[in-house]
Amino acid sequence: MPNSSGHRNGVLVIAVSVIGVVLSVQSVVGAAAAVGAPRPDKPLPVTYDVRVGILAELQHPGGNLPGTNDFRCRPTAAHPRPVILVHGSGGGRQTNWGALAPVLHNAGYCVFAPTYGAISGIWPASAIGGMGPKVDSAWQIKLFAEKVMAATGAPQVDIVGHSLGTEIPTYWLRYLGGARKVGHYVSLAPYWRQGQDSDDTRGDTIAQFRHLLGIPAPQWPACPKCVAPPRDLNFNTAVRHGSPYLPGIRYTNIVTRDDEIVTPYTAGLLPGPPGTQVTDIVLQKGCPIDRSGHLGLTASPRAAALVLGALDPAHAPPVLCVPVTQPF
């Protein structure tokens, strides 16, 4: 996760978010309705508030947001690739996506969201992801994506990642055989211009404790298409070695000037080399009144419209400008 030299503490962000829910639950009673069961004859309600996903986790521990992780879902011709939402450090499949998941579901996508990198399978620790060694997390994303493709029959998926969730899938693409498995890759609050960070340090520490306690490391299946990263490169450097972008994938980076964790926010703006397709977007360009912060970016109506446009440029919705002041 980004550190004081340029970045973020996702666990702190989630902790502040939960406190916000507890202190202001009365103010989001209406938001709680947005986490009800989906109606087949009506779209899911959408509430643009980061606390909705956290409230969903508190009300349904270990559950799934409505409209997500339905392995019976079959992609349509209009949206042939399932969308996988990859949370940030300290996030989870519910906490990170209370606003964006129903937006994508209502737009006709098959939407999937894992919790990766949790250090325990027991709640509430099971809901706090992005904590373990990064390579293990990349393997978990790989296996989850392969499960989604097998269940839906889709040869590719689209990725929408937030913060740490922008770099974990990149390792899958570059080193774990995923290069041809992704069509569109949308990054919210990425930090491509950065070296080793506190997520690496924490993950390495957990791996060391695991070894000292005699806990075996995860055993991953055979992977004929996997390739080893260049020698002596840490995870972050391996992800960014040469370029984090691969030909054949359409990349979109969406950043906010009010990011209090990724600093400077321009760390997420990185042009691609020849042969790659990369679009960099600053949320406030043309709309200075959207003051969404690092986590708030996942619940900004403007950012949601930009995500839809990135996934389906031919049918991009209007990108409205409305006042937003997210508390985090």
Side-chain angles (χ1 to χ4, degrees):
M1 73 176 54
N3 53 31
S4 58
S5 66
H7 309 294
R8 55 185 175 81
N9 190 319
V11 179
L12 177 60
V13 168
I14 293 297
V16 170
S17 303
V18 173
I19 292 171
V21 171
V22 174
L23 294 178
S24 59
V25 77
Q26 293 298 324
S27 70
V28 290
V29 169
V35 249
R39 292 277 303 277
D41 57 332
K42 293 183 178 180
L44 294 172
V46 179
T47 301
Y48 292 104
D49 189 314
V50 297
R51 294 168 292 185
V52 171
I54 300 167
L55 191 58
E57 184 65 45
L58 295 175
Q59 292 179 332
H60 306 286
N64 297 294
L65 290 170
T68 68
N69 293 338
D70 180 1
F71 285 87
R72 299 166 299 175
C73 187
R74 295 295 176 265
T76 64
H79 300 304
R81 292 180 298 276
V83 176
I84 298 179
L85 303 174
V86 187
H87 61 76
S89 177
R93 61 178 176 265
Q94 294 198 92
T95 56
N96 228 108
W97 306 113
L100 194 54
V103 167
L104 291 167
H105 172 83
N106 292 348
Y109 289 94
C110 291
V111 184
F112 296 87
T115 297
Y116 67 89
I119 58 176
S120 172
I122 301 173
W123 197 87
S126 60
I128 303 174
M131 305 299 289
K134 287 185 176 181
V135 173
D136 291 354
S137 293
W139 267 98
Q140 290 171 18
I141 295 301
K142 165 188 169 66
L143 296 178
F144 185 85
E146 290 175 351
K147 178 181 177 181
V148 168
M149 288 184 281
T152 61
Q156 288 186 319
V157 298
D158 287 340
I159 295 290
V160 177
H162 174 243
S163 199
L164 175 65
T166 67
E167 72 166 6
I168 295 297
T170 300
Y171 194 94
W172 163 49
L173 301 186
R174 298 195 67 181
Y175 302 112
L176 302 182
R180 300 181 183 276
K181 302 299 184 183
V182 172
H184 293 175
Y185 197 119
V186 183
S187 296
L188 299 169
Y191 46 101
W192 299 122
R193 300 176 185 271
Q194 183 212 335
Q196 201 165 14
D197 57 41
S198 55
D199 280 327
D200 294 277
T201 302
R202 185 185 59 249
D204 291 345
T205 300
I206 289 174
Q208 292 170 6
F209 273 115
R210 188 169 61 192
H211 176 72
L212 290 173
L213 294 173
I215 301 172
Q219 296 297 309
W220 307 114
C223 181
K225 294 184 179 180
C226 289
V227 297
R231 291 186 61 185
D232 301 323
L233 294 186
N234 60 54
F235 186 97
N236 273 24
T237 306
V239 163
R240 294 157 178 77
H241 181 66
S243 170
Y245 309 127
L246 297 177
I249 300 173
R250 184 187 297 273
Y251 291 91
T252 303
N253 299 315
I254 303 172
V255 304
T256 172
R257 289 174 181 165
D258 290 283
D259 199 316
E260 73 286 7
I261 304 298
V262 176
T263 56
Y265 71 92
T266 51
L269 303 176
L270 181 67
T276 60
Q277 302 178 72
V278 182
T279 301
D280 287 333
I281 300 173
V282 178
L283 186 72
Q284 287 79 18
K285 185 176 182 180
C287 186
I289 59 175
D290 188 331
R291 302 295 303 277
S292 297
H294 183 76
L295 187 55
L297 190 60
T298 66
S300 160
R302 185 173 180 84
L306 290 169
V307 169
L308 290 176
L311 294 175
D312 188 2
H315 302 94
V319 181
L320 303 179
C321 181
V322 297
V324 176
T325 303
Q326 294 284 1
F328 20 74

